[in-house]
Short mmCIF file of all heavy atoms in Angstrom, two decimals:
data_model
loop_
_atom_site.label_atom_id
_atom_site.label_comp_id
_atom_site.label_asym_id
_atom_site.label_seq_id
_atom_site.Cartn_x
_atom_site.Cartn_y
_atom_site.Cartn_z
N ASP A 139 3.83 -8.68 -1.69
CA ASP A 139 3.51 -10.06 -2.05
C ASP A 139 2.12 -10.45 -1.53
O ASP A 139 1.35 -11.14 -2.22
CB ASP A 139 4.56 -11.02 -1.47
CG ASP A 139 5.91 -10.88 -2.16
OD1 ASP A 139 5.95 -10.33 -3.27
OD2 ASP A 139 6.91 -11.32 -1.57
N THR A 140 1.79 -9.99 -0.32
CA THR A 140 0.47 -10.29 0.25
C THR A 140 -0.63 -9.64 -0.57
O THR A 140 -1.67 -10.26 -0.86
CB THR A 140 0.41 -9.79 1.71
OG1 THR A 140 1.41 -10.45 2.48
CG2 THR A 140 -0.97 -10.07 2.31
N ILE A 141 -0.44 -8.38 -0.96
CA ILE A 141 -1.45 -7.67 -1.75
C ILE A 141 -1.65 -8.34 -3.10
O ILE A 141 -2.80 -8.54 -3.54
CB ILE A 141 -1.04 -6.19 -1.92
CG1 ILE A 141 -1.10 -5.47 -0.57
CG2 ILE A 141 -1.97 -5.49 -2.93
CD1 ILE A 141 -0.56 -4.05 -0.61
N ILE A 142 -0.58 -8.70 -3.76
CA ILE A 142 -0.68 -9.36 -5.07
C ILE A 142 -1.46 -10.65 -4.94
O ILE A 142 -2.34 -10.97 -5.76
CB ILE A 142 0.72 -9.62 -5.65
CG1 ILE A 142 1.40 -8.29 -6.01
CG2 ILE A 142 0.64 -10.52 -6.88
CD1 ILE A 142 2.85 -8.42 -6.41
N ARG A 143 -1.18 -11.43 -3.90
CA ARG A 143 -1.86 -12.70 -3.69
C ARG A 143 -3.35 -12.48 -3.43
O ARG A 143 -4.21 -13.16 -4.02
CB ARG A 143 -1.23 -13.45 -2.53
CG ARG A 143 -1.85 -14.84 -2.29
CD ARG A 143 -1.14 -15.59 -1.18
NE ARG A 143 -1.27 -14.93 0.11
CZ ARG A 143 -0.29 -14.28 0.73
NH1 ARG A 143 0.91 -14.18 0.16
NH2 ARG A 143 -0.47 -13.72 1.91
N GLU A 144 -3.69 -11.53 -2.58
CA GLU A 144 -5.11 -11.33 -2.24
C GLU A 144 -5.89 -10.74 -3.41
O GLU A 144 -7.05 -11.08 -3.60
CB GLU A 144 -5.21 -10.43 -1.00
CG GLU A 144 -4.70 -11.11 0.27
CD GLU A 144 -5.35 -10.56 1.52
OE1 GLU A 144 -6.48 -10.04 1.43
OE2 GLU A 144 -4.73 -10.67 2.59
N LEU A 145 -5.27 -9.86 -4.19
CA LEU A 145 -5.97 -9.31 -5.34
C LEU A 145 -6.24 -10.38 -6.38
O LEU A 145 -7.26 -10.33 -7.08
CB LEU A 145 -5.17 -8.16 -5.97
CG LEU A 145 -5.21 -6.83 -5.25
CD1 LEU A 145 -4.31 -5.82 -5.93
CD2 LEU A 145 -6.64 -6.28 -5.19
N SER A 146 -5.36 -11.35 -6.50
CA SER A 146 -5.58 -12.42 -7.48
C SER A 146 -6.76 -13.30 -7.11
O SER A 146 -7.32 -14.00 -7.96
CB SER A 146 -4.31 -13.28 -7.59
OG SER A 146 -4.10 -14.03 -6.39
N GLU A 147 -7.18 -13.24 -5.85
CA GLU A 147 -8.31 -14.05 -5.39
C GLU A 147 -9.63 -13.30 -5.43
O GLU A 147 -10.68 -13.86 -5.14
CB GLU A 147 -8.04 -14.53 -3.95
CG GLU A 147 -6.80 -15.41 -3.83
CD GLU A 147 -6.43 -15.69 -2.39
OE1 GLU A 147 -7.09 -15.13 -1.48
OE2 GLU A 147 -5.48 -16.47 -2.16
N GLU A 148 -9.58 -12.01 -5.79
CA GLU A 148 -10.78 -11.18 -5.82
C GLU A 148 -11.19 -10.91 -7.27
O GLU A 148 -10.37 -10.90 -8.18
CB GLU A 148 -10.52 -9.84 -5.11
CG GLU A 148 -10.19 -9.97 -3.64
CD GLU A 148 -11.40 -10.31 -2.81
OE1 GLU A 148 -12.50 -9.88 -3.16
OE2 GLU A 148 -11.24 -11.02 -1.80
N SER A 149 -12.49 -10.64 -7.48
CA SER A 149 -12.93 -10.21 -8.80
C SER A 149 -12.51 -8.76 -9.01
O SER A 149 -12.48 -7.98 -8.06
CB SER A 149 -14.45 -10.34 -8.91
OG SER A 149 -15.09 -9.44 -8.02
N PRO A 150 -12.16 -8.37 -10.25
CA PRO A 150 -11.70 -7.00 -10.49
C PRO A 150 -12.66 -5.92 -10.00
O PRO A 150 -12.25 -4.84 -9.60
CB PRO A 150 -11.55 -6.95 -12.02
CG PRO A 150 -11.30 -8.38 -12.41
CD PRO A 150 -12.13 -9.19 -11.45
N ALA A 151 -13.97 -6.21 -9.98
CA ALA A 151 -14.96 -5.21 -9.56
C ALA A 151 -14.77 -4.80 -8.11
O ALA A 151 -15.21 -3.73 -7.70
CB ALA A 151 -16.37 -5.73 -9.78
N SER A 152 -14.16 -5.69 -7.31
CA SER A 152 -14.02 -5.37 -5.88
C SER A 152 -12.60 -4.93 -5.54
O SER A 152 -12.22 -4.92 -4.37
CB SER A 152 -14.38 -6.61 -5.05
OG SER A 152 -13.49 -7.68 -5.33
N HIS A 153 -11.82 -4.57 -6.54
CA HIS A 153 -10.43 -4.21 -6.29
C HIS A 153 -10.31 -2.79 -5.77
O HIS A 153 -9.91 -1.86 -6.48
CB HIS A 153 -9.60 -4.39 -7.57
CG HIS A 153 -9.31 -5.83 -7.86
ND1 HIS A 153 -8.48 -6.24 -8.87
CD2 HIS A 153 -9.75 -6.98 -7.27
CE1 HIS A 153 -8.41 -7.56 -8.89
NE2 HIS A 153 -9.18 -8.03 -7.94
N THR A 154 -10.67 -2.60 -4.53
CA THR A 154 -10.44 -1.34 -3.82
C THR A 154 -9.52 -1.65 -2.65
O THR A 154 -9.85 -2.48 -1.80
CB THR A 154 -11.76 -0.73 -3.31
OG1 THR A 154 -12.62 -0.48 -4.42
CG2 THR A 154 -11.48 0.58 -2.59
N VAL A 155 -8.38 -0.98 -2.63
CA VAL A 155 -7.34 -1.28 -1.64
C VAL A 155 -7.03 -0.02 -0.84
O VAL A 155 -6.82 1.05 -1.42
CB VAL A 155 -6.06 -1.81 -2.32
CG1 VAL A 155 -4.96 -2.03 -1.28
CG2 VAL A 155 -6.34 -3.09 -3.09
N PHE A 156 -7.03 -0.15 0.48
CA PHE A 156 -6.62 0.91 1.38
C PHE A 156 -5.27 0.54 2.00
O PHE A 156 -5.14 -0.55 2.55
CB PHE A 156 -7.64 1.13 2.49
CG PHE A 156 -8.94 1.76 2.04
CD1 PHE A 156 -9.94 0.99 1.47
CD2 PHE A 156 -9.14 3.13 2.19
CE1 PHE A 156 -11.13 1.57 1.06
CE2 PHE A 156 -10.33 3.71 1.78
CZ PHE A 156 -11.32 2.94 1.21
N ILE A 157 -4.30 1.44 1.89
CA ILE A 157 -3.01 1.26 2.55
C ILE A 157 -2.89 2.37 3.60
O ILE A 157 -2.89 3.55 3.25
CB ILE A 157 -1.82 1.36 1.58
CG1 ILE A 157 -2.02 0.46 0.36
CG2 ILE A 157 -0.51 1.06 2.31
CD1 ILE A 157 -1.96 -1.00 0.66
N ARG A 158 -2.81 1.97 4.85
CA ARG A 158 -2.69 2.94 5.95
C ARG A 158 -1.27 2.90 6.49
O ARG A 158 -0.80 1.89 7.01
CB ARG A 158 -3.69 2.59 7.06
CG ARG A 158 -3.69 3.53 8.26
CD ARG A 158 -4.87 3.16 9.16
NE ARG A 158 -4.91 3.94 10.38
CZ ARG A 158 -4.54 3.48 11.57
NH1 ARG A 158 -4.08 2.23 11.69
NH2 ARG A 158 -4.62 4.24 12.64
N PHE A 159 -0.56 4.01 6.30
CA PHE A 159 0.80 4.11 6.81
C PHE A 159 0.75 4.58 8.26
O PHE A 159 0.06 5.55 8.58
CB PHE A 159 1.62 5.09 5.96
CG PHE A 159 1.79 4.64 4.53
CD1 PHE A 159 1.04 5.21 3.52
CD2 PHE A 159 2.67 3.63 4.21
CE1 PHE A 159 1.18 4.79 2.20
CE2 PHE A 159 2.82 3.20 2.90
CZ PHE A 159 2.08 3.78 1.90
N LEU A 160 1.46 3.89 9.11
CA LEU A 160 1.40 4.21 10.54
C LEU A 160 2.39 5.32 10.88
O LEU A 160 3.19 5.24 11.80
CB LEU A 160 1.67 2.94 11.36
CG LEU A 160 0.73 1.78 11.06
CD1 LEU A 160 1.08 0.56 11.91
CD2 LEU A 160 -0.73 2.18 11.26
N ASP A 161 2.31 6.38 10.09
CA ASP A 161 3.13 7.58 10.30
C ASP A 161 2.43 8.74 9.62
O ASP A 161 1.22 8.70 9.40
CB ASP A 161 4.57 7.37 9.79
CG ASP A 161 4.62 6.95 8.33
OD1 ASP A 161 3.64 7.20 7.59
OD2 ASP A 161 5.62 6.36 7.91
N GLU A 162 3.17 9.75 9.25
CA GLU A 162 2.57 10.95 8.67
C GLU A 162 1.86 10.65 7.36
O GLU A 162 0.73 11.07 7.14
CB GLU A 162 3.64 12.03 8.48
CG GLU A 162 3.10 13.42 8.18
CD GLU A 162 2.81 13.62 6.70
OE1 GLU A 162 3.43 12.93 5.87
OE2 GLU A 162 1.94 14.45 6.39
N GLY A 163 2.52 9.97 6.46
CA GLY A 163 1.86 9.42 5.28
C GLY A 163 1.57 10.39 4.16
O GLY A 163 1.60 10.01 2.99
N HIS A 164 1.26 11.65 4.46
CA HIS A 164 0.90 12.61 3.42
C HIS A 164 2.10 12.92 2.54
O HIS A 164 2.03 12.84 1.32
CB HIS A 164 0.37 13.90 4.08
CG HIS A 164 -0.53 14.70 3.21
ND1 HIS A 164 -1.88 14.86 3.46
CD2 HIS A 164 -0.30 15.40 2.08
CE1 HIS A 164 -2.42 15.63 2.53
NE2 HIS A 164 -1.48 15.96 1.67
N ASN A 165 3.18 13.28 3.18
CA ASN A 165 4.45 13.52 2.48
C ASN A 165 5.55 12.78 3.24
O ASN A 165 6.32 13.39 3.98
CB ASN A 165 4.77 15.02 2.42
CG ASN A 165 3.80 15.77 1.54
OD1 ASN A 165 3.55 15.41 0.40
ND2 ASN A 165 3.23 16.85 2.08
N PRO A 166 5.62 11.46 3.09
CA PRO A 166 6.59 10.69 3.88
C PRO A 166 8.03 11.09 3.58
O PRO A 166 8.35 11.51 2.46
CB PRO A 166 6.31 9.24 3.46
CG PRO A 166 5.66 9.35 2.13
CD PRO A 166 4.86 10.61 2.17
N ARG A 167 8.88 10.99 4.60
CA ARG A 167 10.29 11.32 4.41
C ARG A 167 10.91 10.40 3.36
O ARG A 167 10.58 9.22 3.29
CB ARG A 167 11.05 11.19 5.72
CG ARG A 167 10.60 12.17 6.80
CD ARG A 167 11.52 12.11 8.00
NE ARG A 167 11.66 10.76 8.53
CZ ARG A 167 10.77 10.20 9.35
NH1 ARG A 167 9.70 10.86 9.72
NH2 ARG A 167 10.98 8.96 9.80
N PRO A 168 11.82 10.93 2.54
CA PRO A 168 12.46 10.10 1.50
C PRO A 168 13.16 8.89 2.10
O PRO A 168 13.70 8.95 3.21
CB PRO A 168 13.47 11.06 0.85
CG PRO A 168 12.96 12.43 1.16
CD PRO A 168 12.30 12.33 2.51
N ASN A 169 13.13 7.79 1.34
CA ASN A 169 13.85 6.56 1.67
C ASN A 169 13.32 5.83 2.90
O ASN A 169 13.98 4.94 3.42
CB ASN A 169 15.35 6.83 1.83
CG ASN A 169 15.95 7.45 0.58
OD1 ASN A 169 15.64 7.03 -0.54
ND2 ASN A 169 16.79 8.46 0.75
N THR A 170 12.16 6.23 3.40
CA THR A 170 11.50 5.45 4.44
C THR A 170 10.67 4.36 3.76
O THR A 170 10.40 4.42 2.56
CB THR A 170 10.59 6.32 5.31
OG1 THR A 170 9.59 6.92 4.47
CG2 THR A 170 11.39 7.42 6.01
N ASN A 171 10.24 3.37 4.54
CA ASN A 171 9.40 2.31 3.97
C ASN A 171 8.11 2.89 3.40
O ASN A 171 7.59 2.40 2.39
CB ASN A 171 9.10 1.25 5.02
CG ASN A 171 10.28 0.33 5.26
OD1 ASN A 171 11.29 0.40 4.56
ND2 ASN A 171 10.16 -0.54 6.25
N SER A 172 7.59 3.94 4.03
CA SER A 172 6.37 4.57 3.52
C SER A 172 6.59 5.15 2.13
O SER A 172 5.78 4.95 1.22
CB SER A 172 5.89 5.66 4.48
OG SER A 172 5.45 5.11 5.70
N SER A 173 7.67 5.91 1.95
CA SER A 173 7.92 6.54 0.65
C SER A 173 8.23 5.49 -0.41
O SER A 173 7.78 5.61 -1.56
CB SER A 173 9.07 7.55 0.76
OG SER A 173 10.29 6.91 1.07
N VAL A 174 8.98 4.46 -0.05
CA VAL A 174 9.30 3.40 -1.00
C VAL A 174 8.03 2.67 -1.43
O VAL A 174 7.79 2.42 -2.62
CB VAL A 174 10.31 2.41 -0.39
CG1 VAL A 174 10.45 1.15 -1.25
CG2 VAL A 174 11.67 3.07 -0.21
N PHE A 175 7.17 2.36 -0.45
CA PHE A 175 5.98 1.58 -0.76
C PHE A 175 4.94 2.41 -1.52
O PHE A 175 4.20 1.86 -2.35
CB PHE A 175 5.37 1.00 0.51
CG PHE A 175 4.38 -0.08 0.23
CD1 PHE A 175 4.81 -1.36 -0.11
CD2 PHE A 175 3.02 0.15 0.28
CE1 PHE A 175 3.90 -2.37 -0.38
CE2 PHE A 175 2.11 -0.84 0.02
CZ PHE A 175 2.55 -2.12 -0.32
N GLN A 176 4.86 3.71 -1.25
CA GLN A 176 3.94 4.57 -2.00
C GLN A 176 4.16 4.38 -3.50
O GLN A 176 3.21 4.22 -4.28
CB GLN A 176 4.16 6.04 -1.63
CG GLN A 176 3.74 6.44 -0.24
CD GLN A 176 2.33 7.00 -0.17
OE1 GLN A 176 1.52 6.78 -1.05
NE2 GLN A 176 2.04 7.73 0.88
N LEU A 177 5.43 4.43 -3.91
CA LEU A 177 5.76 4.31 -5.33
C LEU A 177 5.59 2.88 -5.81
O LEU A 177 5.06 2.63 -6.91
CB LEU A 177 7.20 4.78 -5.56
CG LEU A 177 7.62 4.98 -7.02
CD1 LEU A 177 6.71 5.99 -7.70
CD2 LEU A 177 9.07 5.45 -7.07
N MET A 178 5.98 1.91 -4.99
CA MET A 178 5.90 0.51 -5.36
C MET A 178 4.46 0.09 -5.66
O MET A 178 4.17 -0.55 -6.69
CB MET A 178 6.47 -0.34 -4.23
CG MET A 178 6.59 -1.82 -4.53
SD MET A 178 7.12 -2.78 -3.06
CE MET A 178 8.72 -2.07 -2.75
#
């Protein structure tokens, strides 16, 4: 919800988003918040 709100306030040219997972992140374990959010 936060990302959607902030992107709506930016011009499309600046739409570069970094998501940093505070874990392994490369191949997150299934059904963790990291794996769910990667797909979301």
Side-chain angles (χ1 to χ4, degrees):
D139 291 342
T140 300
I141 293 173
I142 292 172
R143 183 177 63 253
E144 292 207 24
L145 283 177
S146 69
E147 298 171 356
E148 297 286 328
S149 65
S152 62
H153 285 187
T154 300
V155 177
F156 289 82
I157 310 292
R158 181 172 176 257
F159 297 103
L160 304 180
D161 55 22
E162 193 275 335
H164 204 112
N165 293 309
R167 296 188 305 278
N169 302 318
T170 60
N171 283 354
S172 292
S173 64
V174 169
F175 195 78
Q176 290 266 21
L177 191 58
M178 186 186 298

